[in-house]
Amino acid sequence: MLWRAISEDSPGPVWAGLFSEYWPDYRRWWLREGDSVRPTYMESRRALNEHMPEIVELYDQLCELAGGGDQASRFLSFYCPPPYLSGCSQAIWTGKEPVLIRNYDYNPNAFDSLILKTNWMGRTVMGTSDGLWGLVDGTNDAGLSLSLTFGGRRIVGEGFGVPLILRYVLQTCKTAEEAGEALARIPTHMSYNVTALDKKRNYLTAMMAPDRPAVITHAAVATNHQEAVEWVSHARFTATVERERYLLQRLTLHRDPQETFINAFLKPPLYSTAFSVGFGTLYTAVYRPRKKEMEIRWPGTVWSLSMKDFQDGSRVVRLPGSEAADAAREHSI
């Protein structure tokens, strides 16, 4: 995988170039159920204006940079997108220095592999891109960090793709409490768990769903179910209960030092090599909101990034276990 770290303070030619590069693949994904299945531009913009009005002007800027086309603009709204699943683990290390750690388990062929640092709307945000302005994890200059996991439910409803919700929260919120209030009111199209940590060590996990009110908890751990397992086969396949228990034991029984706890994410049962079925661990992210720093880790490699001294760059990463997936794809061809 080729990873890139790219910064651009205001929406401009860098972002426009990225959109041009990624759009053909995203367009195929967005249209996979047919154009008529997705909401119209007016429906999408109306939903944004109702639920996230503070970012509508930014949305309009990005649509213009994307060429102003109907399909691109509807895609960028993230409103009622096609369903997608991931299998992730995340936890708050509750020692003296607050740290949010997460594994992102997903299909490497459907991933931006891009770290973006922006200063949109006067708020600096740094994180892992999805859909070129959505985020699957990130942090802002107020010292608020977020990450998401799939909530383990089949139900799809009317709402936004959760990466845009993370972007909105990081653009508009400063504390975990403010994040919780936003996460409780914004509709999501599928079930997700979003964990928020701020620089004052306050944290929460919001269990969001399209068919019931969000539940705001003080959980320090989230995997791929919510209060109870509802999708049993998915839970067994992803070992969501086993991963949750393992993390809770590390936090409560073993009381691991920070580095020991972080390194546990790079080994089984948290680290997955199931790339052939789209659930391999693409990276481990470490967020330190007080320091406004993040790390992207792979076995044997750490990429450190600082909001204060962000350096554009790239890394080529060979994921352990991905060779078998490559061989399987070649054999099927």
Side-chain angles (χ1 to χ4, degrees), residues 15-16 58-69 73 76:
W15 189 91
L58 173 59
Y59 165 72
D60 289 340
Q61 287 180 276
L62 296 177
C63 288
E64 184 177 351
L65 285 170
S73 298
L76 287 169

Side-chain angles (χ1 to χ4, degrees), residues 6-229:
I6 295 176
S7 60
E8 186 179 44
D9 280 351
S10 301
V14 173
W15 189 91
L18 289 170
F19 185 85
S20 178
E21 175 186 343
Y22 283 79
W23 174 232
D25 288 333
Y26 269 120
R27 183 178 182 275
R28 282 191 290 272
W29 170 77
W30 191 77
L31 292 174
R32 69 184 187 184
E33 298 172 309
D35 181 85
S36 62
V37 176
R38 307 273 71 84
T40 66
Y41 168 72
M42 289 306 298
E43 290 170 334
S44 302
R45 196 175 190 283
R46 191 179 302 118
L48 269 176
N49 197 54
E50 178 181 355
H51 299 288
M52 295 184 274
E54 298 93 332
I55 65 169
V56 170
E57 184 177 346
L58 173 59
Y59 165 72
D60 289 340
Q61 287 180 276
L62 296 177
C63 288
E64 184 177 351
L65 285 170
D70 175 72
Q71 289 181 344
S73 298
R74 290 154 67 196
F75 161 76
L76 287 169
S77 76
F78 276 72
Y79 186 58
C80 298
Y84 43 85
L85 309 180
S86 60
C88 311
S89 307
Q90 61 197 25
I92 304 293
W93 184 75
T94 52
K96 183 178 179 180
E97 175 67 33
V99 184
L100 171 61
I101 310 104
R102 66 99 95 260
N103 274 6
Y104 189 65
D105 302 349
Y106 199 55
N107 185 344
N109 297 315
F111 178 58
D112 288 2
S113 58
L114 180 66
I115 302 161
L116 283 180
K117 175 180 169 287
T118 58
N119 191 33
W120 298 341
M121 300 168 51
R123 166 62 51 77
T124 302
V125 174
M126 173 175 68
T128 311
S129 167
D130 185 82
L132 299 175
W133 75 305
L135 298 162
V136 294
D137 48 69
T139 192
N140 68 16
D141 56 12
L144 175 65
S145 297
L146 302 176
S147 68
L148 64 87
T149 74
F150 174 57
R153 302 178 71 233
R154 294 175 179 267
I155 296 169
V156 179
E158 291 187 4
F160 295 93
V162 73
L164 184 62
I165 298 175
L166 263 66
R167 165 63 71 176
Y168 171 81
V169 171
L170 288 172
Q171 291 292 154
T172 61
C173 299
K174 296 180 180 180
T175 66
E177 181 181 6
E178 290 178 0
E181 292 171 357
L183 294 168
R185 67 171 178 79
I186 300 172
T188 174
H189 84 304
M190 293 188 74
S191 295
Y192 285 93
N193 304 318
V194 179
T195 297
L197 169 69
D198 66 30
K199 64 182 180 181
K200 294 184 178 180
R201 301 180 76 248
N202 300 310
Y203 65 88
L204 58 83
T205 293
M207 298 181 180
M208 305 174 68
D211 60 330
R212 62 193 186 194
V215 177
I216 307 300
T217 76
H218 193 59
V221 170
T223 53
N224 300 125
H225 61 282
Q226 297 190 330
E227 293 179 293
V229 170

